[in-house]
Amino acid sequence: MSEPWLVDLADRFWAAAGGPPVPPRDLHGVVSLALPVTVVALPALSLLRVERWFSARNVDHRFDVPDRRLRGCLVAFGGHGFIFVDGADPVDERRLTLAHEVAHFLLDDQHPRERATRALGDGIAAVLGGKRSPTLDERIGTVLSAVRLSPHTHLMERTGDRGAAASAVEAGADRLAWELLAPAAEVSEFVPGSGGEALEQALVDRYGLPRNAAARYARSLRRVYEPPPSFVDWLRVTPR
């Protein structure tokens, strides 16, 4: 079962997009309807290619880690997000990548901004949009509200403490991406009585998830929705 607030975020996204389509759900054509987000597909996506894309548009955006290949990337400025996906990836991988980066925008940019607005008032929008500097009170309130004033990039460090923090954030984005593409309450009907392979295959065939992601999501769903083993089953597997 997904956390209720994740389900609420997914439901709000699809409501803003005009309602969820039949599976497999493809976000590409509806992201701009629901969010202030631009989707950019670049072949052989890498950190350097993203930097060059911004540079060609007179935006100086630099990553603080060495160049590497990417499946997807989110950069957000003042409430608008730019989602980059590898245009050479298979369709199912691009579908999941886009959902994952949309999840990052919802969880790590839009949701904290909404929380800051509720806490600090509508005037903070000018600060978040880069139109003026924050007052001292706003700086304190912004820290307490956990909202970023600088451009937001996900999430490049993969080692040390920052890497561990990134892993936790990535896990949350995975859960919301799965909920966007294959809602747990809907998919749960495939769980009872089906083996893990059958559930995984349904996530691949019906919902269009890549095989590796389908296997991970299937394990998560089975832990929640499958009935616990009976006492007799427990006896059968208990060493004598």
Side-chain angles (χ1 to χ4, degrees):
M1 180 183 297
S2 296
E3 295 92 329
W5 64 277
L6 283 179
V7 175
D8 179 65
L9 279 178
D11 289 345
R12 287 168 55 192
F13 171 86
W14 284 116
V22 297
R25 297 178 174 184
D26 193 342
L27 278 65
H28 192 277
V30 300
V31 168
S32 61
L33 298 176
L35 298 172
V37 165
T38 299
V39 179
V40 181
L42 297 174
L45 184 66
S46 68
L47 296 173
L48 182 58
R49 294 213 66 176
V50 174
E51 290 177 349
R52 288 174 174 170
W53 188 91
F54 280 115
S55 179
R57 290 152 182 83
N58 299 315
V59 177
D60 184 20
H61 179 72
R62 305 289 177 180
F63 298 101
D64 59 355
V65 295
D67 185 38
R68 70 167 186 269
R69 287 289 301 272
L70 302 170
R71 286 198 183 277
C73 175
L74 166 68
V75 179
F77 301 91
H80 188 98
F82 295 86
I83 290 177
F84 297 85
V85 298
D86 191 330
D89 270 349
V91 172
D92 58 350
E93 291 286 358
R94 294 201 307 271
R95 178 183 295 113
L96 180 63
T97 295
L98 181 53
H100 181 90
E101 300 305 332
V102 165
H104 274 310
F105 184 80
L106 292 170
L107 291 170
D108 306 320
D109 189 88
Q110 188 177 81
H111 186 59
R113 289 168 64 86
E114 291 175 349
R115 189 168 62 247
T117 300
R118 288 195 298 269
L120 303 173
D122 293 338
I124 198 65
V127 177
L128 299 175
K131 297 179 180 179
R132 64 174 177 85
S133 299
T135 65
L136 176 60
D137 286 345
E138 286 172 337
R139 287 184 181 278
I140 295 171
T142 298
V143 170
L144 295 176
S145 301
V147 66
R148 295 173 177 84
L149 299 182
S150 58
H152 181 62
T153 306
H154 257 290
L155 233 165
M156 301 302 135
E157 185 58 70
R158 291 293 185 269
T159 60
D161 291 342
R162 293 179 65 187
S167 295
V169 172
E170 293 298 315
D174 279 344
R175 293 198 302 274
L176 180 52
W178 294 339
E179 186 66 29
L180 287 165
L181 296 176
E186 180 179 320
V187 177
S188 64
E189 68 183 68
F190 294 95
V191 178
S194 69
E197 292 182 2
L199 173 59
E200 181 180 324
Q201 198 62 46
L203 290 169
V204 171
D205 293 341
R206 177 175 172 80
Y207 294 96
L209 269 62
R211 177 67 63 179
N212 287 342
R216 291 173 55 216
Y217 192 22
R219 287 195 296 271
S220 176
L221 289 167
R222 292 179 68 198
R223 283 195 296 267
V224 174
Y225 288 101
E226 277 192 342
S230 67
F231 180 69
V232 173
D233 292 332
W234 180 79
L235 288 174
R236 288 172 178 166
V237 299
T238 301
R240 296 178 183 276

